[in-house]
Amino acid sequence: MGSVSKKNFLLPPSCFCVCVHLENETEMARPHAATDYLERQMSQHPELAEKTAQLAELYKKKLWHQLTEALFDYVKSPSLQQGAELASFYEDFVKDFETKINQLRLVQLAVFISERLTNSEEALTFLKTVGDKVTADKEASMLAQAEQAALKLKLNRLDETLDVIEKLKADLEGTAGLDAVVHSAVFRVAASYYKQKTNAELFYKNALMYLAYTPEESLSHATKVSWALDLGLAALIGLNTYNFGELLEQPVLKSLEGSQYHWLGQLLHAFNAGNMTDFERLFATYQPQIAEQSALTANMPFLREKMVILVLVELVFNRPKGDRNVPLTDIAQAAKIPLDQVEVMVMRAMSLGIIKGVIDQVEGIVRVTWVQPRMLDATRVAVMKDKLSEWTSNVRNILVGLEQQTPELFV
């Protein structure tokens, strides 16, 4: 009796019995309504009879994990791609056991359904309703917030979107062991936001993070081409992007091959190699295609300046470690610029922190002491191999010379 609240003693015994009876009826009605819905689905979609029967069986046996996976298979059926029908499926069936299944998977299911709702406001309301129910689960709640932010961005509610992005990024940094799908969603909406704000630098950084957490096989070919195009353009016009190695290692970049944007991949390789000849050839050959990209045509002087700086970096990289003195005339010749412009470009590279050193105007050289680290592709690895071989040979010659001059030390 101690577990019964004092409030119940204020009710007549008959009322107490009625309350208990009504509660039991409600509990019994829920599974009944869920199974009734599945029966209706069987009659409306006879082609899904086998899948629907599987859902009913797993639901009856309360095999929640297996049921969760069966739900995803079910909602992907071609005849069930109407958003309203899927929303009804959630409301009339999934809602009955939403607290019993993995909460992260529940949100993923809700996201799948929301993507098929044609009205973005309705989709946002639907996702918010589900998100409000999973606040106790960190991963599920963060995923729900990220997907809601994506819809807010679609509705042009930019300030709200940025607030959510900043909050979620702080949560990412302060929480270890989060599922990759959460990272992927956060960086995807962040990249989309900065693309809409035309911030190439921040779009580039967030897009690379998004792809790092997103399985390539989960993206369609068209989606890969879209991301590759946006990333390539952002890398070229990004004010502080002078290292293309990480981008060129991205598998999605291969999607440009055979597409109408195949020239972009070649252009990125030309920048990465600091090859002014290829730069000029590609711009001449694909001038009509490049003219369609306003981001490039509006930044032509900057693109040439960036190429000149990368030419300088490549010249330094290819020189022997003991000889980092680069003649100004060599830079002018490789970059195809007048000699009197070389010093300006070298100082520009220094101000960006890409190289460190001094300009010796008397000798007409740049004494480079440091170069910004770069990712090594196969070509650069081969260069490093040759340098190491040369170093090994020099060390061996020194050792032989010591043995010949001081044989008593090697007895």
Side-chain angles (χ1 to χ4, degrees):
M1 294 294 291
S3 62
V4 180
S5 68
K6 293 181 180 180
K7 193 173 182 180
N8 289 332
F9 287 108
L10 300 177
L11 296 172
S14 59
C15 291
F16 181 72
C17 293
V18 170
C19 290
V20 173
H21 180 66
L22 289 175
E23 288 176 3
N24 289 338
E25 276 192 343
T26 303
E27 292 298 321
M28 293 175 64
R30 288 173 185 164
H32 187 62
T35 52
D36 282 351
Y37 172 79
L38 291 181
E39 289 178 6
R40 293 196 302 273
Q41 283 293 93
M42 281 192 178
S43 61
Q44 293 173 10
H45 294 283
E47 76 282 2
L48 300 177
E50 184 178 344
K51 290 184 177 181
T52 307
Q54 182 189 25
L55 292 180
E57 182 69 15
L58 294 172
Y59 172 77
K60 179 181 178 181
K61 293 181 177 179
K62 299 182 179 181
L63 299 174
W64 306 125
H65 174 71
Q66 293 88 332
L67 178 58
T68 302
E69 299 310 310
L71 289 174
F72 280 89
D73 182 53
Y74 188 78
V75 297
K76 291 176 183 178
S77 301
S79 58
L80 286 179
Q81 296 311 298
Q82 293 296 323
E85 186 169 11
L86 287 174
S88 176
F89 171 72
Y90 186 97
E91 182 68 24
D92 296 333
F93 181 60
V94 179
K95 191 175 180 180
D96 180 77
F97 52 88
E98 60 186 357
T99 60
K100 296 180 174 65
I101 65 177
N102 181 285
Q103 298 294 276
L104 183 62
R105 295 292 279 161
L106 175 71
V107 173
Q108 287 180 294
L109 180 67
V111 171
F112 182 90
I113 294 173
S114 70
E115 289 173 344
R116 281 144 188 82
L117 292 171
T118 54
N119 186 299
S120 296
E121 286 285 4
E122 291 180 2
L124 179 58
T125 300
F126 173 75
L127 263 185
K128 187 177 186 309
T129 300
V130 177
D132 289 343
K133 297 177 181 179
V134 299
T135 53
D137 187 300
K138 183 81 170 180
E139 287 184 322
S141 180
M142 289 180 67
L143 178 60
Q145 291 176 63
E147 296 297 348
Q148 289 174 54
L151 286 168
K152 290 177 181 178
L153 180 62
K154 192 174 181 180
L155 292 166
N156 208 36
R157 289 153 63 172
L158 301 183
D159 291 341
E160 292 180 51
T161 303
L162 180 59
D163 288 342
V164 176
I165 290 172
E166 291 177 343
K167 175 185 177 299
L168 290 175
K169 282 194 170 183
D171 288 343
L172 286 180
E173 292 179 4
T175 310
L178 290 172
D179 194 287
V181 70
V182 178
H183 289 268
S184 175
V186 173
F187 287 116
R188 172 170 46 81
V189 70
S192 300
Y193 171 82
Y194 289 115
K195 177 184 176 180
Q196 192 159 323
K197 296 291 286 185
T198 63
N199 188 322
E201 199 77 28
L202 290 177
F203 166 78
Y204 182 74
K205 292 177 180 178
N206 283 279
L208 284 179
M209 291 299 293
Y210 161 65
L211 292 175
Y213 285 103
T214 306
E216 182 191 0
E217 59 272 15
S218 68
L219 304 175
S220 67
H221 178 71
T223 301
K224 292 178 187 177
V225 171
S226 177
W227 279 103
L229 173 63
D230 290 340
L231 269 168
L233 295 176
L236 291 174
I237 67 173
L239 295 178
N240 296 300
T241 305
Y242 285 84
N243 194 336
F244 295 84
E246 186 176 2
L247 174 58
L248 293 175
E249 291 297 315
Q250 286 293 331
V252 297
L253 209 65
K254 295 179 181 178
S255 64
L256 294 176
E257 299 173 5
S259 75
Q260 60 181 314
Y261 307 112
H262 64 278
W263 54 269
L264 180 58
Q266 298 176 46
L267 189 59
L268 289 170
H269 279 283
F271 270 84
N272 189 55
N275 192 320
M276 181 62 80
T277 300
D278 283 353
F279 169 83
E280 293 181 337
R281 176 181 58 80
L282 289 168
F283 266 89
T285 304
Y286 297 105
Q287 195 279 329
Q289 293 91 326
I290 292 173
E292 295 176 359
Q293 302 300 326
S294 58
L296 298 182
T297 56
N299 289 280
M300 280 305 299
F302 171 72
L303 290 174
R304 179 169 285 276
E305 176 189 290
K306 177 178 280 194
M307 174 55 78
V308 170
I309 291 174
L310 290 171
V311 167
L312 170 60
V313 171
E314 194 67 17
L315 281 175
V316 175
F317 179 82
N318 288 321
R319 294 183 76 84
K321 182 173 177 59
D323 180 17
R324 290 293 178 87
N325 299 329
V326 186
L328 298 181
T329 52
D330 287 2
I331 300 172
Q333 182 179 359
K336 298 184 179 181
I337 59 174
L339 185 60
D340 60 3
Q341 293 182 15
V342 173
E343 288 188 30
V344 175
M345 296 312 301
V346 171
M347 287 188 287
R348 175 64 176 157
M350 290 179 179
S351 69
L352 290 168
I354 297 172
I355 66 170
K356 294 179 182 179
V358 294
I359 301 174
D360 188 332
Q361 293 178 319
V362 176
E363 295 292 333
I365 59 176
V366 181
R367 302 185 191 279
V368 180
T369 58
W370 179 87
V371 182
Q372 185 182 79
R374 308 177 73 188
M375 285 191 66
L376 300 179
D377 56 17
T379 302
R380 288 186 173 82
V381 169
V383 172
M384 291 297 294
K385 177 179 175 293
D386 291 341
K387 289 183 177 180
L388 284 172
S389 297
E390 182 182 353
W391 177 81
T392 302
S393 177
N394 290 338
V395 171
R396 186 178 294 110
N397 291 337
I398 292 172
L399 179 60
V400 170
L402 285 172
E403 289 178 344
Q404 292 174 348
Q405 294 177 28
T406 56
E408 65 278 3
L409 297 179
F410 296 91
V411 176

